[in-house]
Structures are given as structure tokens and as C-alpha cells.
Amino acid sequence: MTGTRRRAGIRPLRLVIVVLAGVLLLFGTLLFVRAALQPRRTTPLFDPPVLAGQQLWGYCAGGFYARHGDVIVLTSTGHCTTEGTVADDPDGITVRGVFGPAARDATCPYARHRCASSDMNYLVVAKDRVPWGHLNTVDMGTGGYRIIPSGTSPLGCPDVAIGDPVEIDGRNINRTGRVLEKGEYLHPDDGDYFPCMIAADIAVESGDSGGAVLVRGIPAGVSSRSFGGMLGFTPLAEGMAQLGLDLCTTPNCGLPPPNGPSPASPGVPVNTPGGS
């Protein structure tokens, strides 16, 4: 009787082991399939890297390279940090640059609000972190590089229409969608007023702020707000004008690189999909 009970107890134990092994195998298979289906980056990284379209510092993302006089800057968002903040590489040692001022109107008709043409500031890029030869390039991660054609003008609020295609790459996650609506932004529980805020059906989270927004493949905005988890961005042209910036549309942005000529940027034109 004792031996019979022992054998009877062994069988359920073996069954449990078999079931657990099956569950683990299934879980491992699902993880493998998920990893295999995950989009992968296929474009090279430059040294120094192109940070337009990529994570810049903390919860800030990089927008587009531009000139402020003869100084190379990278657009970001005015609500992410304050003027004078130093941005480091992930190693915490290498300095990427120092943040400049945010776009601001001289006066604001709305009490307890800050008025601005766009939710934008910029990083003054450290001289040794300027990616010469690639200043008209936007790194859209798994979406590939986008090269801004010479003479391209940034889009303003009137240039963006409902239904236009939109692309962003904050948090190194490439996403696309379409413009849903646009209008002024004024809320009593938010101290910022913008005459134009554009909403798109693209999911966003903390870390997307400041990132490059392409509309119809053209530089168009800066990621600014979340509306129920969906993207809200302010227009690029108005913000750049208020900050005195000129969009880089050539590899060296019309400036002589310190170490002589730089190679032309690889990739695809900014208004061409793909390029990964």
C-alpha cells in the first residue's frame, strides 16, 4: 500500500513539471517572436551622433539643427528645462551643450500665463559635439534618416491641415499618424498660452517633449503636450522666428567646419518615406 501511494503521488508531480515546462516554453517562444517582430535600427550612428529626432537630455528630445548667427543649436521644448541647464551624454561626463532661452512674447494679455509663439527652446551644441556634414539630417531611429533638402522652409500653423500625415521619434520609438485638429491653447490650470496647438493621433509619453515633428515629411513642429495620451505639438516656423533661428538645410548649415570639408549626409530626402 505504501509503494502504491508513493507512485500515485509521483504522477501528479510529473504532470505539474510537464505543464510548467510547457508554459515556460510557450512564454519563451512568445518573447522570441516579439523580439523578432520588433523594429530594428539599420542605419549607422555617427560620431558625434545626430541628436535631431533622438533623446537629448533627461526627459527632453531633440528637434532640428539650426543656426543662431554662427552658432549651431538644436531645437527642443521650452517646458522641459530652464536656460543655462547643462546637458550631458548618458555617461554623465561629456557635455552635449547648454540650453538657451525659451520662446516668449514680451507681453501676455492673459493673467498668470506666459505667452509664446511655440513651446520651444534650443540647446547651444558644444563645439566638439556638432555633427558636421549631417546638420540637415534628422534621425528617426528605426524609421531611418531624413535629409532636409536645401532651401526647405519650416512649416507654420497655417501650413498644417487636418488629415496631414505626421511622424515623430521621441523616446527612440518611431510613430506615425495624422493631424486631427488645431487651435489656440489656453487652460486655467496651465500657465502657458500658445496661439496654435496641433493634435495628432499618435500616442505619446514623458520623454517625447521637444522631439522633431514632421508633417508631410517636412519639419513642422515640436512635441509639446499630451491630450488623453495623444500628441499635441506647436509649430516650428513661428518658434524659430521668435528665437532668431534658421533651419539647417545643408550638411554644414552654411558654415565652414573646423576640420575642413565634411562628407555629405547619407539617407533619403526628408519627404521620402522609409530609409531604414
Side-chain angles (χ1 to χ4, degrees):
M1 291 293 292
T2 303
T4 303
R5 291 196 191 98
R6 189 174 298 163
R7 284 193 297 272
I10 289 173
R11 288 172 184 168
L13 179 60
R14 288 177 176 171
L15 181 60
V16 169
I17 292 173
V18 171
V19 171
L20 285 175
V23 170
L24 290 174
L25 179 61
L26 177 61
F27 183 69
T29 302
L30 290 175
L31 288 178
F32 176 80
V33 171
R34 180 179 179 182
L37 295 176
Q38 192 75 17
R40 294 177 182 271
R41 183 188 187 95
T42 59
T43 47
L45 292 174
F46 302 111
D47 184 19
V50 170
L51 294 177
Q54 294 293 294
Q55 284 309 111
L56 180 56
W57 176 83
Y59 288 103
C60 305
F64 303 94
Y65 285 106
R67 279 179 58 173
H68 188 264
D70 289 339
V71 176
I72 297 298
V73 303
L74 178 60
T75 65
S76 191
T77 176
H79 75 256
C80 194
T81 189
T82 57
E83 183 177 1
T85 299
V86 177
D88 297 324
D89 269 350
D91 62 13
I93 300 173
T94 307
V95 175
R96 287 179 165 175
V98 179
F99 282 97
R104 287 286 183 271
D105 292 349
T107 60
C108 187
Y110 303 103
R112 297 180 298 279
H113 280 76
R114 299 175 298 269
C115 292
S117 59
S118 186
D119 187 13
M120 189 184 300
N121 69 355
Y122 59 80
L123 181 81
V124 178
V125 183
K127 291 182 178 180
D128 62 346
R129 306 307 290 169
V130 175
W132 295 106
H134 311 292
L135 293 175
N136 61 337
T137 302
V138 186
D139 187 351
M140 303 302 283
T142 57
Y145 284 113
R146 301 289 186 270
I147 297 177
I148 304 172
S150 178
T152 298
S153 296
L155 298 184
C157 188
D159 303 315
V160 179
I162 307 301
D164 277 348
V166 181
E167 181 182 14
I168 67 171
D169 190 59
R171 296 179 292 116
N172 302 319
I173 302 173
N174 184 258
R175 285 150 288 169
T176 59
R178 292 193 175 274
V179 173
L180 297 178
E181 58 181 311
K182 64 178 184 176
E184 67 175 7
Y185 180 82
L186 178 64
H187 292 280
D189 56 347
D190 189 328
D192 289 320
Y193 167 78
F194 305 109
C196 181
M197 179 71 71
I198 305 165
D201 60 349
I202 298 177
V204 291
E205 296 180 11
S206 295
D208 286 320
S209 292
V213 179
L214 300 174
V215 172
R216 304 192 308 276
I218 304 169
V222 52
S223 297
S224 173
R225 293 294 191 277
S226 170
F227 298 107
M230 295 291 108
L231 172 67
F233 66 94
T234 53
L236 187 63
E238 290 88 333
M240 296 190 81
Q242 189 162 44
L243 289 169
L245 306 181
D246 294 306
L247 180 68
C248 289
T249 65
T250 58
N252 293 316
C253 211
L255 295 172
N259 298 319
S262 301
S265 300
V268 296
V270 71
N271 53 359
T272 301
S276 59

